[in-house]
Amino acid sequence: MAIAIFLICGILWPRMKLTATNRIAPETVPVFLLNEGRGLERHSFFKLLSTEDKKFLSAFQKKSPIKDGHNHLVFLPSAREVILMGLSARTSYTHRKAILAARRVVWFARREKVKQITVALEDFTTSDYGRGPHALTELIATQWTIANFEFLEYKTPPPDGWMFVHTIELFTTNTKAANDALRTGMLIGEEINKSRVLSNTPGGDMTPVRLAEAAVKAGAESGFNVSILDEEEIRKLGMGGVLGVSKGSSERPQFIVMEYMKGKKTEKPIVLVGKGVTFDTGGLNLKPEHGIYEMHMDMSGGAAVIHTIAALARLKVKKNIVGLV
């Protein structure tokens, strides 16, 4: 099956296909998310199976009750595979647990090398989330996209390659509205993943110049303006704190200004500020061992601002937004 790929920091990264459907395609693996106490027979997917497969699954559940946290990849008599995942009882099934369940679906599918799955929207509906199916679909798409992420830049590929989910089909009745929400959610998830790549890159490679280049690239791809202030411009503006920190490094400082001005001309901009210290040595003599290995993530606030503006630009939000890193 063809799968789109895009480049992040030298890595060929798979772009998952998310689509809404009102049927189960023969080549896909349906996922049954089952709250404790809920029989398989009540799930929407159950009635779409053959009689022989239904009998087999019913017998399987009686023999091995599916409890919260249980995951099973089951091979049916028809040769179809299905995934059974246990959730908490409906009375304690919260919106937060539904988000974790969305991620868990992707993690388990990747572990079992399942590339195409179908999941029912109804399995993520909870009583404490009142924003409606469109917002829920968008949120689920974001969770699926970030769960399909892995930072691979410094890893040796396994002999059979990296395993990612290629396609997720969301089972729902209103497929048009769902497809719109899936596109939005995936876009947000993609920008989150790009910020994670920047944050995970070690300080020896993620220098101030590299971070500034990443902002310029994001602006060119997404449609916002980027200005980079060098050390002399920073000095003229009296940014003593930035200059003081940079004195501890052979790398020269950069100050990133991003502008996305698509709102009314009279409207004051929303300003996002992100810390972009690419490696913090100030606490090396103070922090315990486990507090040191994440020093390179001191610029994660800056990465988040860069790709928040990128996401807003791709979504064509009608606002004036300025980002400072």
Side-chain angles (χ1 to χ4, degrees):
M1 178 178 295
I3 180 169
I5 53 176
F6 53 94
L7 193 66
I8 302 179
C9 292
I11 308 169
L12 286 177
W13 196 264
R15 191 182 197 210
M16 190 165 48
K17 180 182 178 182
L18 302 182
T19 185
T21 185
N22 54 14
R23 67 186 188 92
I24 300 178
E27 67 274 12
T28 192
V29 175
V31 180
F32 290 73
L33 289 168
L34 300 169
N35 298 95
E36 281 193 12
R38 180 190 183 194
L40 273 163
E41 295 80 4
R42 296 172 60 188
H43 198 282
S44 296
F45 291 165
F46 188 81
K47 63 183 179 182
L48 302 177
L49 299 175
S50 68
T51 301
E52 190 177 13
D53 286 348
K54 288 178 183 177
K55 290 180 180 178
F56 182 89
L57 270 184
S58 296
F60 180 91
Q61 187 178 31
K62 288 179 181 178
K63 185 177 180 181
S64 304
I66 301 161
K67 297 183 179 180
D68 187 15
H70 288 192
N71 305 311
H72 304 278
L73 178 64
V74 181
F75 295 83
L76 302 179
S78 65
R80 176 186 280 280
E81 299 173 27
V82 298
I83 292 174
L84 309 179
M85 304 190 76
L87 306 174
S88 63
R90 269 284 165 187
T91 52
S92 60
Y93 186 52
T94 63
H95 175 56
R96 175 63 179 166
K97 289 181 179 180
I99 288 175
L100 295 176
R103 297 181 197 172
R104 198 170 122 207
V105 166
V106 175
W107 294 335
F108 184 70
R110 288 181 62 190
R111 194 187 83 179
E112 298 298 323
K113 301 186 185 305
V114 176
K115 294 182 179 180
Q116 185 167 339
I117 57 178
T118 301
V119 190
L121 177 61
E122 65 186 42
D123 289 344
F124 301 100
T125 304
T126 61
S127 59
D128 63 332
Y129 187 76
R131 294 182 58 199
H134 189 277
L136 180 59
T137 300
E138 180 183 309
L139 182 62
I140 291 168
T142 299
Q143 301 305 315
W144 284 339
T145 306
I146 64 177
N148 210 36
F149 168 88
E150 186 174 346
F151 185 59
L152 303 173
E153 181 74 11
Y154 302 90
K155 294 182 179 181
T156 301
D160 53 350
W162 304 109
M163 176 58 212
F164 295 98
V165 176
H166 288 193
T167 304
I168 301 181
E169 295 183 343
L170 183 69
F171 187 81
T172 181
T173 53
N174 192 348
T175 56
K176 185 181 184 304
N179 276 321
D180 291 340
L182 287 171
R183 280 191 291 271
T184 299
M186 184 171 68
L187 183 154
I188 294 170
E190 287 174 352
E191 294 303 327
I192 291 172
N193 286 343
K194 290 177 185 179
S195 72
R196 294 163 85 186
V197 170
L198 296 180
S199 297
N200 277 288
T201 301
D205 288 338
M206 185 48 63
T207 62
V209 169
R210 284 282 300 276
L211 186 61
E213 289 172 348
V216 171
K217 180 182 178 184
E221 292 177 346
S222 304
F224 59 90
N225 297 324
V226 182
S227 303
I228 308 297
L229 307 184
D230 61 19
E231 188 170 17
E232 186 58 32
E233 292 170 303
I234 290 170
R235 183 174 288 106
K236 286 179 180 178
L237 290 171
M239 298 180 178
V242 175
L243 294 169
V245 170
S246 72
K247 285 182 179 179
S249 173
S250 60
E251 296 287 338
R252 297 300 81 208
Q254 309 274 291
F255 195 90
I256 304 167
V257 181
M258 296 165 287
E259 296 174 289
Y260 174 78
M261 311 298 281
K262 297 297 182 181
K264 297 177 181 177
K265 291 184 177 180
T266 56
E267 186 180 8
K268 291 184 178 180
I270 298 167
V271 181
L272 307 177
V273 183
K275 184 178 180 182
V277 177
T278 56
F279 192 82
D280 176 14
T281 60
L284 287 177
N285 62 333
L286 301 173
K287 292 180 182 286
E289 176 186 351
H290 295 296
I292 292 174
Y293 82 101
E294 287 186 340
M295 289 289 199
H296 65 284
M297 299 189 78
D298 239 28
M299 43 62 65
S300 56
V305 168
I306 291 169
H307 287 289
T308 295
I309 295 182
L312 295 170
R314 289 177 67 189
L315 290 169
K316 296 179 170 40
V317 172
K318 301 299 182 184
K319 290 289 183 179
N320 296 324
I321 303 162
V322 173
L324 306 175
V325 176

